[in-house]
């Protein structure tokens, strides 16, 4: 899953939210340098990623992309799934997406010193371009994929994946809608056990 889903699946615990968000920048046992609650968020992120990557419904989604995007198909599906979460946000939360995102950005500003340097560097762009809110539209997903394509040096032309999203929109949407409730249950159980 991508940023929005990881944040959402952390519930309302700020340490879990922060750890889950920064986890991709924390390698190996470096997570032990963080406060205990943030460590739990980092571990939760890793568990969510493992569960997601091995799930048959996610594999069904990535299979639609693998021919054109190889191992980047998983990254693309993560972004697509954040789109479906954002575009159907009211099905998952009573807090409007704008408020949820605004509160998250405030949390990052308040805990800025805990953020790894790469995240500190991209945070101003994330906030000014409002990445999380932009996931709700196909145009927003197109911009995210374009940025990802630049970051990956145009290896697989990831920006073209927006055409795959449009072409197979209902298939990806159905995969997400089947998968996400299972991921929610999994995440809730993991939080309870951490």
């Amino acid at each position: 899953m991508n940023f929005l889903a990881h944040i959402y699946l952390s519930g309302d615990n700020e340490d879990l939210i922060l750890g889950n968000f920064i986890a991709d920048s924390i390698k190996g046992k470096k997570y032990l340098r963080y406060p205990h609650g943030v460590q739990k968020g980092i571990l939760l992120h890793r568990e969510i990623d493992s569960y997601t990557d091995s799930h048959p419904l996610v594999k069904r989604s990535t299979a639609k992309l693998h021919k054109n995007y190889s191992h980047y198909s998983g990254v693309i599906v993560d972004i697509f799934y954040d789109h479906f979460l954002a575009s159907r946000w009211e099905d998952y939360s009573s807090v409007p997406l704008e408020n949820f995102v605004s509160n998250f950005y405030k949390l990052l500003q308040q805990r800025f010193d805990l953020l790894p340097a790469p995240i500190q560097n991209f945070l101003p762009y994330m906030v000014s371009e409002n990445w999380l809110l932009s996931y709700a539209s196909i145009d927003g997903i197109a911009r995210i994929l374009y940025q990802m394509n630049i970051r990956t040096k145009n290896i697989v032309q990831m920006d073209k994946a927006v055409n795959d999203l449009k072409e197979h929109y209902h298939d990806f949407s159905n995969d997400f809608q089947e998968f996400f409730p299972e991921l929610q249950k999994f995440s809730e159980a993991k939080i309870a056990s951490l």
Side-chain angles (χ1 to χ4, degrees), residues 159-176:
D159 55 317
K160 294 191 174 167
V162 71
N163 298 322
D164 296 271
L165 175 61
K166 291 174 185 175
E167 183 179 346
H168 302 287
Y169 195 88
H170 293 295
D171 292 335
F172 287 121
S173 175
N174 289 339
D175 290 350
F176 170 80

Side-chain angles (χ1 to χ4, degrees), residues 22-23 25-35 38-39 42-43 46 116:
I22 67 172
S25 297
I26 313 297
K27 303 304 177 199
K29 295 200 176 222
K30 290 182 180 174
Y31 78 96
L32 295 169
R33 300 175 185 169
Y34 287 85
V38 176
Q39 290 179 29
I42 294 167
L43 295 175
R46 293 175 181 178

Side-chain angles (χ1 to χ4, degrees), residues 47-96:
E47 293 283 349
I48 288 169
D49 279 357
S50 293
Y51 179 82
T52 299
D53 292 345
S54 65
H55 199 285
L57 288 164
V58 177
K59 287 184 176 186
R60 186 166 72 188
S61 286
T62 58
K64 294 176 186 74
L65 300 169
H66 199 269
K67 179 182 173 190
N68 293 329
Y69 308 103
S70 187
H71 69 275
Y72 289 102
S73 59
V75 174
I76 294 167
V77 167
D78 286 348
I79 293 168
F80 287 1
Y81 281 14
D82 259 16
H83 164 68
F84 294 115
L85 176 58
S87 65
R88 295 183 174 86
W89 184 257
E90 63 280 352
D91 293 342
Y92 299 100
S93 178
S94 58
V95 177

Side-chain angles (χ1 to χ4, degrees), residues 74-179:
V75 174
I76 294 167
V77 167
D78 286 348
I79 293 168
F80 287 1
Y81 281 14
D82 259 16
H83 164 68
F84 294 115
L85 176 58
S87 65
R88 295 183 174 86
W89 184 257
E90 63 280 352
D91 293 342
Y92 299 100
S93 178
S94 58
V95 177
L97 182 58
E98 295 83 1
N99 295 3
F100 180 87
V101 168
S102 175
N103 290 337
F104 173 67
Y105 292 153
K106 284 177 193 165
L107 171 64
L108 294 184
Q109 297 294 346
Q110 291 163 358
R111 310 280 295 273
F112 188 80
D113 291 344
L114 267 179
L115 303 178
I119 294 177
Q120 289 180 346
N121 292 336
F122 77 63
L123 183 59
Y125 303 103
M126 181 182 199
V127 174
S128 68
E129 295 174 20
N130 209 348
W131 292 356
L132 298 178
L133 199 57
S134 75
Y135 288 155
S137 72
I138 292 194
D139 286 345
I141 293 301
R143 282 191 302 277
I144 296 294
L145 290 168
Y146 176 79
Q147 291 165 352
M148 292 294 293
N149 188 55
I150 290 169
R151 252 186 268 154
T152 58
K153 300 181 170 88
N154 197 31
I155 293 171
V156 294
Q157 297 183 321
M158 203 181 297
D159 55 317
K160 294 191 174 167
V162 71
N163 298 322
D164 296 271
L165 175 61
K166 291 174 185 175
E167 183 179 346
H168 302 287
Y169 195 88
H170 293 295
D171 292 335
F172 287 121
S173 175
N174 289 339
D175 290 350
F176 170 80
Q177 288 182 73
E178 276 188 72
F179 167 66

